[in-house]
Amino acid sequence: MSITSTPTSNDACLSIVHSLMCHRQGGESESFAKRAIESLVKKLKEKKDELDSLITAITTNGAHPSKCVTIQRTLDGRLQVAGRKGFPHVVYARLWRWPDLHKNELKHVKYCQYAFDLKCDNVCVNPYHYERVVSPGIDLSGLTLSSSGPLLVKDEYDYDNQPSHSSSENHLPTIQHPPSRPGPQETFNSPALLPPSEGSSSASTSAFSTISAGPSSKSRNSVSTFWPVTNEIAFQPPISNHPAPEYWCSIAYFEMDVQVGETFKVPSTCPIVTVDGYVDPSGGDRFCLGQLSNVHRTENIERARLHIGKGVQLECKGEGDVWVRCLSDHAVFVQSYYLDREAGRAPGDAVHKIYPSAYIKVFDLRQCHRQMQQQAATAQAAAAAQAAAVAGNIPGPGSVGGIAPAISLSAAAGIGVDDLRRLCILRMSFVKGWGPDYPRQSIKETPCWIEIHLHRALQLLDEVLHTMPIADPQPLD
C-alpha cells in the first residue's frame, strides 16, 4: 500500500489500523482508540468484504453506500476494550462520528440487517448504519445543552480516576461543538457548524478581499466556497469605508494569569493563521508557542503544553468574520459572544468546547457592530437620563428610557469602553476547560490560553465611539 492510497482488506492490519486512526474524532484517548480499532480489524480479517465496507465507510465519511460490518454479540451485549465495557455500535460511533454520543441516542437505518436493536447473533458496528436521534437535554446541532440532564465533560487527556465536577443548578454545562461531517445529500442548517472546505486557504489572498471584490464570477465562486449557507454575504456592502487595518488580529499567549512572550500580530495579507505548540520560529501565518520560555512555568503547565500539538487555525473571512478549525488531538475551549448568542445564552455566560477536526464560526463582525452600537446608545441615553435625574429634571414617559428605576440607569450608564472592547476579543484555552464543569472557574486558571484582539472590530468600535462618545464609568460619591 502506498502512503497516500486507501488500504484494502488485503493489507496488513497495522496499515489498516493506521488509516482508520486518521479518521477518529478525538473524543477518546489515542491508546483506547487504537486498541478498539485493532480489535475490530482483527475480528474482520477473515470477513474481507465487511472489512472493505468498513474501510470505505470510514475513509469516505459515509459518502458511499456500505454493507453491514458485524461482530459476534456477547452475552450481555457489551464489548470490552482496554478494561472498559460499552455497547459496540456506540463505541465505534463515538470513535468515528460523534465523540459526545450517549448510548441511547442511536437509531439504525432501515437497510441495516444486523442492527444492535434487532437482537441478532451478530451486531453491525458500521457507524454509518446508525443515525443520531434527539435525547432529552441535548440539541443535536451541538450548539446548546438544556439544563435537564447535563452532560459532564472531562479534560481531553484525563480519563480514569478523575474527580468529576457537577454543574450547579444555576449553571448550564459547557456547550459542545463536535465536528460536523454531513453526507453528500445533507443540507446545512446551522450557521455555526460547517465542514472544512478543500482549498479554502487558497481561495482568498486577503482577509478582506471578499468584501472589496467586484461582482465577477470568479469572486462569487471564491465567496461561495467560504459561505455555502449564506451566499448573500457576497453582496453585502462593507460596514465601513475605512481602509482595512494592516493587521487583522493580534494574539497574546498566557500561562495562568501571566502573558508569556510578545504579542503576535497577523498581517491582513495572511487570512489564515496557525497557533500550535511546536518550537519553530514564529512569523507571518504561524505562531509557535513551543519556543516561548517562562522561568515560572510549573510542571502542570509544561504537561498541558505538550498536548497543544497542531493547535488551531484561525481564519478571517469577508470583512472580519472569524472561524476556528481545531487541528489538535485535544479539544479547545472558547469564550465567544457570537456562540453565546447562537446558543441563546447571555454574553460571556458560556464556555464552548470545540472538538478536534471541528470547523466553526466564532465571531460575526456585523453582529458585533450592531451590539456595540446598541450598547453605546443605551449607555449614552442612560447617562443623560441619570444626569437629568440628578439635576432634578426627571424625564417624562415619552423621553428616552421613560421613568426607569435608578438602579437600571446606573447599570446602563456604567457601560464603559472596556465593556465594548470585550465584544472585539476572543479567548481560547488549549486542552483544559474552565467553568462549572471544571475545577477552574476562570480562563486565567487554565495552564495555556490565548487572547485574540480583532482589529477590524476595534476599528469599528473607534468609529462608533467617535459618533456616540460615552464616558468611562466614575465611582459614585
Side-chain angles (χ1 to χ4, degrees), residues 93-163:
R94 278 179 185 156
L95 275 181
W96 284 308
R97 295 195 72 183
W98 304 289
D100 59 339
L101 181 71
H102 282 200
K103 63 182 179 182
N104 58 345
E105 291 180 337
L106 287 183
K107 176 184 176 183
H108 65 271
V109 295
K110 61 184 179 182
Y111 50 83
C112 182
Q113 299 177 337
Y114 297 94
F116 182 83
D117 294 340
L118 299 180
K119 309 294 184 184
C120 301
D121 290 339
N122 290 325
V123 178
C124 179
V125 295
N126 185 337
Y128 293 93
H129 276 205
Y130 294 89
E131 295 172 343
R132 192 173 184 179
V133 295
V134 174
S135 171
I138 296 181
D139 173 6
L140 290 187
S141 67
L143 290 176
T144 61
L145 293 171
S146 79
S147 56
S148 58
L151 173 62
L152 299 182
V153 230
K154 294 181 182 178
D155 289 339
E156 282 299 302
Y157 65 85
D158 294 341
Y159 285 92
D160 300 314
N161 305 318
Q162 295 293 321

Side-chain angles (χ1 to χ4, degrees), residues 113-346:
Q113 299 177 337
Y114 297 94
F116 182 83
D117 294 340
L118 299 180
K119 309 294 184 184
C120 301
D121 290 339
N122 290 325
V123 178
C124 179
V125 295
N126 185 337
Y128 293 93
H129 276 205
Y130 294 89
E131 295 172 343
R132 192 173 184 179
V133 295
V134 174
S135 171
I138 296 181
D139 173 6
L140 290 187
S141 67
L143 290 176
T144 61
L145 293 171
S146 79
S147 56
S148 58
L151 173 62
L152 299 182
V153 230
K154 294 181 182 178
D155 289 339
E156 282 299 302
Y157 65 85
D158 294 341
Y159 285 92
D160 300 314
N161 305 318
Q162 295 293 321
S164 53
H165 300 267
S166 299
S167 304
S168 68
E169 291 182 3
N170 297 325
H171 291 88
L172 292 176
T174 305
I175 298 174
Q176 305 198 29
H177 303 268
S180 176
R181 293 186 176 276
Q185 303 301 320
E186 204 168 334
T187 57
F188 303 99
N189 296 321
S190 167
L193 289 175
L194 292 175
S197 56
E198 292 183 9
S200 63
S201 60
S202 60
S204 172
T205 57
S206 165
F208 305 99
S209 63
T210 53
I211 290 297
S212 58
S216 67
S217 59
K218 182 179 180 182
S219 68
R220 289 184 190 180
N221 288 336
S222 68
V223 171
S224 64
T225 302
F226 282 144
W227 299 96
V229 178
T230 52
N231 288 333
E232 65 270 16
I233 194 77
F235 307 106
Q236 291 183 336
I239 299 171
S240 169
N241 292 322
H242 198 282
E246 182 181 358
Y247 301 96
W248 72 265
C249 78
S250 54
I251 307 169
Y253 169 65
F254 292 82
E255 292 176 359
M256 308 295 277
D257 59 351
V258 177
Q259 182 174 347
V260 177
E262 299 293 323
T263 298
F264 183 79
K265 294 183 177 180
V266 184
S268 292
T269 52
C270 298
I272 299 178
V273 61
T274 302
V275 183
D276 60 43
Y278 300 125
V279 295
D280 300 321
S282 298
D285 62 353
R286 189 176 176 202
F287 185 19
C288 297
L289 305 179
Q291 46 91 23
L292 298 177
S293 59
N294 177 9
V295 293
H296 302 295
R297 184 171 292 149
T298 65
E299 184 181 342
N300 284 341
I301 294 174
E302 193 66 69
R303 191 162 57 244
R305 280 167 52 85
L306 294 174
H307 293 271
I308 296 174
K310 295 179 182 178
V312 295
Q313 227 174 39
L314 305 172
E315 183 172 359
C316 184
K317 294 186 179 184
E319 192 176 356
D321 294 352
V322 179
W323 292 60
V324 167
R325 190 192 308 272
C326 181
L327 304 176
S328 173
D329 288 338
H330 302 285
V332 293
F333 299 81
V334 177
Q335 186 179 69
S336 158
Y337 286 3
Y338 169 76
L339 290 179
D340 292 345
R341 186 184 179 103
E342 292 296 299
R345 301 281 286 273

